[in-house]
Amino acid sequence: MGTDELLALIQEHHSEGLAHLRASLWSPSGRDGPDRGPDWRRPSMGPVRSVEDRSLSVTLDARVSSYSWFASDPSLTGDLYTVSMRTDHRLLGQRTALGHSEADAWALAVLGSQNARMIYWSVAVVGLVTTLCHHLYVDPAGQTARLPRGSSLAERSARISDSLD
């Protein structure tokens, strides 16, 4: 199944959860960083069943961070919206990989399909655990944009639109 078909299924099956996640992520209370309050909770969704493989459960975590704080470079401006995906095999009880088309579809469902050319993906590996991350950079004027050239995140990430079918 292609990314567009998977996106339609995700939006059909998970519209309420997606609406809540997007509202949390795009609101001021969704911000991550050193100034968040003690009651702050990262916007999340799941676990929910994969639309492509019913034996997989997907958990989405989202955050918005000051790009300078995320990149540890005070000269960088703007915000970085990140959606992290963890996939577990429901029958085997272990972490597993989600297909790229479905992962891209989940990212588009959360970050907006209109931003497809601006969304980047990368893989975070901690020990033996792998988490797929999708990033959207929003410049200081509030416009989505490509990651700033020369940033380490841009160098170790790929644009989602380069892999769309």
Side-chain angles (χ1 to χ4, degrees):
M1 221 180 295
T3 304
D4 290 337
E5 295 165 307
L6 291 167
L7 176 59
L9 284 174
I10 288 168
Q11 290 172 328
E12 178 184 329
H13 292 260
H14 303 287
S15 61
E16 189 175 312
L18 285 168
H20 183 264
L21 178 60
R22 282 192 300 264
S24 298
L25 178 62
W26 294 94
S27 75
S29 64
R31 291 194 64 81
D32 195 356
D35 57 348
R36 67 180 182 238
D39 296 332
W40 182 82
R41 293 188 60 191
R42 177 170 284 138
S44 64
M45 178 181 163
V48 295
R49 282 198 178 163
S50 159
V51 294
E52 194 168 39
D53 183 342
R54 305 301 276 168
S55 62
L56 301 181
S57 292
V58 181
T59 302
L60 304 169
D61 282 321
R63 68 180 178 268
V64 56
S65 307
S66 163
Y67 191 61
S68 62
W69 183 74
F70 180 88
S72 300
D73 182 348
S75 68
L76 298 173
T77 58
D79 291 321
L80 190 67
Y81 289 71
T82 302
V83 176
S84 304
M85 288 170 224
R86 172 191 165 130
T87 310
D88 296 286
H89 196 286
R90 295 177 45 242
L91 303 174
L92 301 176
Q94 63 188 25
R95 295 283 297 266
T96 188
L98 186 65
H100 269 289
S101 291
E102 185 172 353
D104 289 348
W106 279 105
L108 292 169
V110 176
L111 297 172
S113 55
Q114 74 278 10
N115 295 316
R117 296 205 173 279
M118 304 301 169
I119 299 172
Y120 294 75
W121 64 270
S122 63
V123 175
V125 179
V126 180
L128 298 175
V129 178
T130 302
T131 302
L132 188 59
C133 300
H134 286 77
H135 311 281
L136 177 65
Y137 171 69
V138 178
D139 68 20
Q143 301 297 312
T144 59
R146 291 189 178 174
L147 287 167
R149 286 199 174 170
S151 73
S152 61
L153 184 58
E155 291 172 7
R156 66 178 195 263
S157 302
R159 283 192 311 141
I160 192 175
S161 61
D162 295 339
S163 63
L164 293 178
D165 35 76

